[in-house]
Amino acid sequence: MKALVKAKDEIGLVLSDVNVPKIGNDDVLIKVKTTAICGTDLHIWNWDNWASSTIKTPMTVGHEFMGEVFEVGPDVKNFQIGDRVSAESHITGQNSRNAKAGKLHLDPETVNIGVDRDGAFAEFISVPARNVVNLPDSISDQIGSILDPFGNAVHATLSYDLVGEDVLVTGAGPIGIMSAAIAKYVGARKVLLTDINDHRLELAKKVCDVEVLNPLTGSLEEKMTEMGIKEGFDIGLEMSGSEQAIDQMMSAMIMGGNVSLLGLPSDKIQFDLSKAIFKALNLKAIYGREIFETWYKGMALIDSGLNIEKVITHKFHYSEFETAFDLLNSGKAGKVVLTWD
Ligand code: NAD
Ligand code: ZN
């Protein structure tokens, strides 16, 4: 089968012929239909310090995908050939204290698809059945392929009661835009989304009805006054990993405000912890999705009318992967999907 493989210690990926993965008794073989490129895949493509010290070559990459069940292991009871499915990309252990308590997203033995084991940028992928999720008809193939990053947004955003609250989202990447859309959809009063990339802010305006600000060209304080936010934002969703954005968020929060930290800084950062302490902020670090409550809530949001289709800006056939990665590296795209038909 065809697969996009990090073949050796160098930038880029190679379109290769590899064996169709074998499935174990509890696994499902999925015929991949649509995949999406994640920031993680860009790190792997660009072969930065994190990627080169984490990925063991050769590795088929990619973890955001949907497809159809093609074969099931003998012990798999709850999936049929032809089911439309996606899958949770974090394959957790089952023996730690957290896993045994049902808190699978906190299991320390978690293995990531497309990072620690062969991934989804391929014609077929083998996944443990317990990670596979059936897709309702209300979820299109394209949206089915981005439920993983949408789940990051759902997890971070729904960590707090948003009804009537004022929300600051820093970073208008796909996850920040989806977070802003969710906040607005579930009843936040005012939502402000910031980014230093105007393309991203323009995209955000197409996806959801929120205020936007480029902090390089506009003042956050003035924007807050204009929006009628007097004491600060009640909820902060940090989706950039930028030191400047984190600093700005801490300054703009209300006393006792709630913050989700999802953005990953690329290095150690300077952080004024005393500002957070004197404001008595509640800081929650977010990793992945709550398995599987986030999947349930996210699909329910879409089923009930939340529309995030426009966050997907480009669609390519997998053979055009180089164009797709170049486009994403340029910062001029939202979510980019690859089709595998
Ligand atoms: P992305 O890189 O597409 O988006 C990040 C955005 O932040 C970019 O548009 C960038 O221009 C913007 N930004 C940079 N500096 C800024 C500043 N000073 N103020 C405001 N915005 C600024 O990433 P994404 O795919 O949307 O993911 C968001 C973040 O979450 C990334 O850091 C990613 O690595 C991280 N992530 C974390 C998890 C997790 O489990 N915690 C999972 C997936 C992604
Ligand atoms: Zn991802």
Side-chain angles (χ1 to χ4, degrees):
M1 66 170 186
K2 296 288 184 208
L4 288 176
V5 177
K6 176 60 85 177
K8 51 183 179 194
D9 194 4
E10 61 182 22
I11 289 176
L13 294 172
V14 180
L15 184 57
S16 311
D17 284 301
V18 301
N19 292 332
V20 173
K22 292 200 166 50
I23 59 167
N25 289 355
D26 297 311
D27 295 335
V28 172
L29 185 67
I30 298 168
K31 182 164 174 26
V32 176
K33 284 185 77 179
T34 310
T35 59
I37 305 176
C38 176
T40 304
D41 304 317
L42 267 193
H43 288 290
I44 298 173
W45 174 279
N46 293 327
W47 210 227
D48 61 13
N49 286 341
W50 169 79
S52 58
S53 60
T54 307
I55 307 287
K56 296 191 176 52
T57 59
M59 176 79 70
T60 298
V61 303
H63 58 273
E64 300 179 0
F65 73 102
M66 64 74 61
E68 278 178 14
V69 173
F70 192 79
E71 191 184 338
V72 296
D75 294 343
V76 175
K77 304 282 178 251
N78 49 340
F79 292 101
Q80 313 293 327
I81 311 290
D83 281 357
R84 284 177 78 241
V85 293
S86 181
E88 166 59 50
S89 67
H90 289 189
I91 299 177
T92 69
Q94 302 187 76
N95 300 312
S96 68
R97 173 183 173 181
N98 281 319
K100 281 190 179 303
K103 295 182 250 181
L104 294 174
H105 63 295
L106 301 179
D107 179 70
E109 279 155 23
T110 298
V111 164
N112 292 331
I113 290 176
V115 173
D116 307 307
R117 57 181 268 162
D118 280 331
F121 291 169
E123 289 178 277
F124 293 93
I125 181 172
S126 164
V127 181
R130 64 193 167 87
N131 276 61
V132 180
V133 178
N134 268 122
L135 295 179
D137 292 342
S138 57
I139 296 198
S140 66
D141 286 3
Q142 293 207 115
I143 294 297
S145 75
I146 65 164
L147 290 176
D148 181 294
F150 175 61
N152 293 132
V154 171
H155 183 185
T157 308
L158 297 190
S159 285
Y160 305 112
D161 177 5
L162 293 143
V163 177
E165 303 287 53
D166 295 332
V167 181
L168 173 62
V169 186
T170 46
I175 299 180
I177 294 177
M178 291 189 283
S179 300
I182 296 164
K184 195 74 194 188
Y185 185 75
V186 302
R189 188 179 78 118
K190 303 266 165 120
V191 179
L192 174 63
L193 176 56
T194 68
D195 203 296
I196 54 172
N197 175 341
D198 287 327
H199 285 284
R200 288 280 170 86
L201 295 177
E202 278 162 31
L203 174 62
K205 294 293 265 181
K206 291 181 190 153
V207 179
C208 50
D209 178 22
V210 297
E211 297 286 331
V212 299
L213 174 78
N214 182 336
L216 298 180
T217 52
S219 151
L220 180 57
E221 291 71 30
E222 282 173 21
K223 189 74 187 175
M224 288 168 69
T225 309
E226 188 189 300
M227 290 170 69
I229 295 171
K230 295 196 178 72
E231 293 185 51
F233 289 93
D234 307 299
I235 312 277
L237 305 173
E238 207 306 293
M239 305 294 176
S240 73
S242 147
E243 184 176 304
Q244 290 79 8
I246 295 169
D247 196 53
Q248 226 166 20
M249 177 170 280
M250 296 307 142
S251 303
M253 295 301 297
I254 196 169
M255 290 278 301
N258 290 314
V259 176
S260 286
L261 298 167
L262 179 115
L264 284 166
S266 46
D267 218 328
K268 284 188 182 171
I269 56 166
Q270 297 271 348
F271 172 57
D272 188 355
L273 184 58
S274 57
K275 210 182 266 178
I277 291 173
F278 286 129
K279 281 201 170 183
L281 296 180
N282 176 29
L283 305 182
K284 179 182 179 188
I286 305 285
Y287 177 48
R289 295 144 296 279
E290 278 189 36
I291 307 168
F292 281 88
E293 182 63 8
T294 298
W295 284 82
Y296 182 88
K297 287 271 191 186
M299 292 197 291
L301 286 173
I302 293 171
D303 204 28
S304 72
L306 173 67
N307 188 338
I308 49 162
E309 290 274 355
K310 288 192 176 137
V311 85
I312 299 172
T313 54
H314 298 82
K315 181 169 157 180
F316 295 98
H317 187 253
Y318 72 84
S319 57
E320 301 169 289
F321 67 99
E322 282 168 323
T323 312
F325 275 87
D326 286 347
L327 180 68
L328 263 180
N329 262 328
S330 77
K332 291 186 179 153
K335 211 68 200 164
V336 176
V337 302
L338 300 175
T339 57
W340 289 81
D341 289 330

